[in-house]
Amino acid sequence: MANSEIFSKTLLEDKVAIITGGGTGIGKEIAYQLGKAGAKIVLSGRREHVLKATEAEFVSQGFDVLSVPTDIREVEQVENLVAETVNRFGKVDILINNAGGQFPKRAEELSKNGWDAVIRTNLNGTFYVTQAVGKQMIKQGNGGAITNILVSFLHRGAPGIAHSVAARNGVYGLMKNLALEWARYKIRINSIGAGLFITEGMQEEMAAADPHFIDNTTKAVPLKRVGNLEELGWLATFLSSHAGGYITGENIIIDGGNSLGHGITFFPY
């Protein structure tokens, strides 16, 4: 986590933000940047010990933090996440849908269980959390901001992860639809199409399939570098704040221009 000061410490003062998959990687960095901007932070994820470690780290930096172990594939656990948040902080203003996962596999070799696992998490789980938080925001009557963390290769594909691309395109369509449905409630919903950002999870899931994946992909990026996690955090903070208050239904790509050219592939084609 970087210490660069981009936003005022009061930009998100008194706002309450739920970040799924907030214990590590992209989710942790986004939570950190939201906290620096003044938001109260709710971390969710499946591994309680990871959440507790991140919670303790953030508390030591002066953040107001709650961690709630949650499997977003289970509606009852999602409902508990929202209930625990409201019980502690009284409301929900911001949702970052970051939780998800995939694994490289050629489409013809993908098992039913493998397909179902990714769809359940990346698409179904995202909907369950969005619906539960959206209902709470509607009840509160003060609007809100929802941001989905997607991928930059959403519309061009990435050979090797057909299951993930299918699920995330579903989330993209859901975002567009809800931006229309929930505008009447002043709820904004957008997505971030993330390119190559190095996290422990990405290295385990993707780079393991090809030891040259990171180097080869970086060479294909017009800006000739991987992204800095703080750059994702800044964009999510902007979209969650009044600074992005006239933006809804958009997918903002942050990938150094990679989607304009070669894109990302996990297997040759």
Side-chain angles (χ1 to χ4, degrees):
M1 293 178 294
N3 292 315
S4 302
E5 297 293 341
I6 294 295
F7 299 109
S8 162
K9 293 180 180 179
T10 60
L11 179 67
L12 297 176
E13 189 174 29
D14 296 326
K15 299 296 184 182
V16 178
I18 294 176
I19 303 93
T20 67
T24 60
I26 288 172
K28 180 179 179 180
E29 179 64 30
I30 291 175
Y32 175 69
Q33 296 297 340
L34 293 175
K36 284 182 64 179
K40 297 175 175 63
I41 301 300
V42 180
L43 304 170
S44 85
R46 286 188 287 176
R47 296 178 293 172
E48 183 173 8
H49 69 284
V50 172
L51 291 179
K52 290 299 182 183
T54 300
E55 178 183 9
E57 180 182 342
F58 284 177
V59 168
S60 71
Q61 298 179 67
F63 295 174
D64 197 349
V65 188
L66 169 68
S67 63
V68 184
T70 308
D71 184 339
I72 64 170
R73 299 171 297 182
E74 302 296 333
V75 172
E76 294 79 8
Q77 293 189 36
V78 169
E79 291 174 345
N80 178 68
L81 168 63
V82 176
E84 290 284 340
T85 300
V86 174
N87 183 61
R88 169 73 175 269
F89 295 119
K91 60 174 182 171
V92 185
D93 302 295
I94 296 165
L95 169 63
I96 307 293
N97 280 314
N98 170 71
Q102 56 275 314
F103 53 90
K105 180 70 71 172
R106 294 183 182 277
E108 66 271 22
E109 300 171 352
L110 189 60
S111 70
K112 178 183 182 300
N113 287 341
W115 172 269
D116 288 347
V118 171
I119 297 297
R120 284 186 65 210
T121 300
N122 292 4
L123 178 56
N124 295 357
T126 298
F127 172 71
Y128 298 153
V129 179
T130 301
Q131 183 187 51
V133 171
K135 288 165 68 175
Q136 177 62 34
M137 289 177 172
I138 291 169
K139 179 181 178 180
Q140 292 167 186
N142 298 313
I146 299 172
T147 302
N148 305 311
I149 306 304
L150 298 179
V151 289
S152 63
F153 47 82
L154 199 66
H155 301 310
R156 66 175 296 153
I161 54 170
H163 46 348
S164 180
V165 172
R168 295 179 189 277
N169 267 287
V171 174
Y172 173 85
L174 176 67
M175 176 269 292
K176 289 286 188 179
N177 205 83
L178 293 182
L180 291 172
E181 281 197 39
W182 290 354
R184 62 186 294 188
Y185 303 115
K186 295 182 173 57
I187 296 173
R188 297 184 298 103
I189 178 165
N190 296 289
S191 298
I192 293 175
L196 185 61
F197 291 82
I198 307 303
T199 67
E200 181 180 333
M202 188 279 290
Q203 289 178 307
E204 291 176 356
E205 293 177 349
M206 302 302 185
D210 178 3
H212 305 293
F213 168 76
I214 294 175
D215 287 341
N216 289 340
T217 302
T218 302
K219 291 175 183 177
V221 175
L223 290 185
K224 302 301 179 186
R225 68 173 176 87
V226 300
N228 297 318
L229 284 177
E230 64 180 354
E231 293 172 313
L232 264 177
W234 294 336
L235 179 53
T237 300
F238 168 77
L239 289 173
S240 299
S241 74
H242 65 269
Y246 202 46
I247 302 173
T248 193
E250 294 298 325
N251 181 55
I252 300 177
I253 294 175
I254 177 171
D255 72 347
N258 193 36
S259 56
L260 301 174
H262 180 268
I264 293 177
T265 180
F266 302 96
F267 295 104
Y269 62 97

